[in-house]
Amino acid sequence: MAKVENTDTLIYTDEYNIYSRLKSWGYQHKTVCHGKGEYARDEDRDGFHEVHVNTIEGCWSLLRSWLRPHRGISQEKLPFYLALFEFVYNIKCRGKSLLNDLIELLI
């Protein structure tokens, strides 16, 4: 993989060793060590835990719940399901409001 030009990108992960490649690819990388009971870290001691993966783990949990009724999604169609989930997740609204935002996006 080619080195990334944007070294401003900071990625937070758990300690899984596959992520050790990120620095060589040009990313800044910080980890929490779930294996040692660390789930969030306050690096500058201001009371805000800057290093954590809770947000993305919550997102994956919602995605699994959202996909569960759609058993047997083909790999070919999975990107479309993921794109729709991403839209719904980022728009942060439901029901008729979501439909209006989707129509606005498409028009």
Side-chain angles (χ1 to χ4, degrees):
M1 181 173 196
K3 191 167 185 169
V4 176
E5 295 295 323
N6 184 0
T7 57
D8 295 335
T9 303
L10 176 58
I11 300 176
Y12 299 105
T13 69
D14 60 16
E15 73 276 12
Y16 187 49
N17 67 1
I18 193 130
Y19 301 126
S20 64
R21 300 175 184 170
L22 290 169
K23 284 190 179 184
S24 68
W25 291 343
Y27 295 100
Q28 295 179 54
H29 181 222
K30 295 194 178 198
T31 64
V32 289
C33 187
H34 290 169
K36 294 180 181 176
E38 179 185 47
Y39 295 92
R41 184 173 53 255
D42 179 7
E43 291 196 327
D44 58 7
R45 306 206 188 283
D46 65 353
F48 179 76
H49 292 78
E50 297 87 8
V51 182
H52 65 82
V53 292
N54 297 337
T55 307
I56 192 63
E57 287 178 353
C59 180
W60 289 128
S61 178
L62 287 172
L63 175 62
R64 282 191 300 272
S65 296
W66 187 75
L67 287 175
R68 195 168 291 122
H70 308 282
R71 296 176 188 240
I73 296 171
S74 71
Q75 285 188 357
E76 180 182 290
K77 294 181 181 168
L78 183 59
F80 299 110
Y81 281 91
L82 294 176
L84 180 59
F85 174 80
E86 179 184 11
F87 173 77
V88 171
Y89 183 82
N90 287 331
I91 206 80
K92 295 186 181 3
C93 66
R94 304 288 182 266
K96 289 181 182 178
S97 178
L98 173 63
L99 183 58
N100 291 337
D101 288 337
L102 184 58
I103 290 170
E104 231 177 84
L105 178 71
L106 294 172
I107 293 179

